[in-house]
Amino acid sequence: MTFSHIPVLLNECLDGLNIKSDGVYIDATFGRGGHSRAILQRLGANGKLFAIDRDLQAIEAAASIDDERFCITHNTFSNIKDVAAEHGILGMVDGILMDIGVSSPQLDDAQRGFSFDRQGPLDMRMDNSCGLSAADIVNTYSSDDLSYIFKVYGEERFARKVAAAIVRERENAKIETTTQLASIISKAIPGAPGPKHKATRCFQALRIAVNAELDELKQALEGAIDVLGRDGRLCVISFHSLEDRIVKTFYRDKSSAPPIPRGLPITDTELAALKAQYAKLECVGKAIKASDSEIMQNVRSRSAVLRVAKRL
């Protein structure tokens, strides 16, 4: 089956990348290629676009792009530095785009196991050729470990109740499907159902744990510094507060001087010199969110936040 995907903040990303016709760019999270195709339209004959994705279905989708300026690699975006080195473009890239999180085709395909309202196997792996699935975690992790995942990655208030309910249920039968887990979570969380499904936060947390998404993001951001050339742009779209906090903190830390010990006498001129010596990024504008018209066309864009930085 084919599942559609609408690229989020498309024009804002293209503007943020400040695309040069003969530039070299990386789409570090290809998905279904909406952003990549738009970048290729702005590139000239000598431009190059390299893409990365860990999802084998995304790699298959990329086969439809018949363009000698385009190349895709099956890998995690955390390995962006290694991928760039393999292609001989380390330190030469004019722009990197990272669209973090799960894509619409992954959510819409019940067999991938990401959605709580579509029955399917409890998988959630972005690369389903390796690693632990959500079912492995749900059926083997201790109550304390499950509670930690739901609390830290999902910011779920009733994390302990949910974890305890899962452990009780799996003693009777293995938890194997998305709807089975969603039902357990819904019953464990007190209160009447609201507009937001009770399982939303826990499913998000499990997905993050299965794919080590926060660690992947941190490693990808660090790698991007060495991949970018001078004045190269880094555009990162995040969809929830945990991701955005990591991006925001990274930009701040990489655009400032090292912390100065309290009480150390230092002038503004000396502080500016320190920043010039150590800073690697400069933030470009403020955080960008989807417009009302975009949200009307694509409701999944409502939580998207784009942050842009430039390599110094």
Side-chain angles (χ1 to χ4, degrees), residues 168-188:
R168 283 196 304 271
E169 289 291 334
R170 75 188 190 194
E171 289 176 356
N172 300 320
K174 187 176 180 181
I175 303 169
E176 297 181 315
T177 70
T178 51
T179 49
Q180 186 182 3
L181 177 61
S183 175
I184 296 168
I185 295 170
S186 296
K187 291 174 184 176

Side-chain angles (χ1 to χ4, degrees), residues 121-134:
L122 194 55
D123 195 325
M124 297 194 191
R125 290 173 297 171
M126 290 180 180
D127 182 354
N128 51 18
S129 67
C130 61
L132 292 177
S133 69

Side-chain angles (χ1 to χ4, degrees), residues 18-31:
N18 193 30
I19 296 172
K20 300 183 291 187
S21 64
D22 60 347
V24 178
Y25 297 88
I26 296 178
D27 183 349
T29 49
F30 178 80

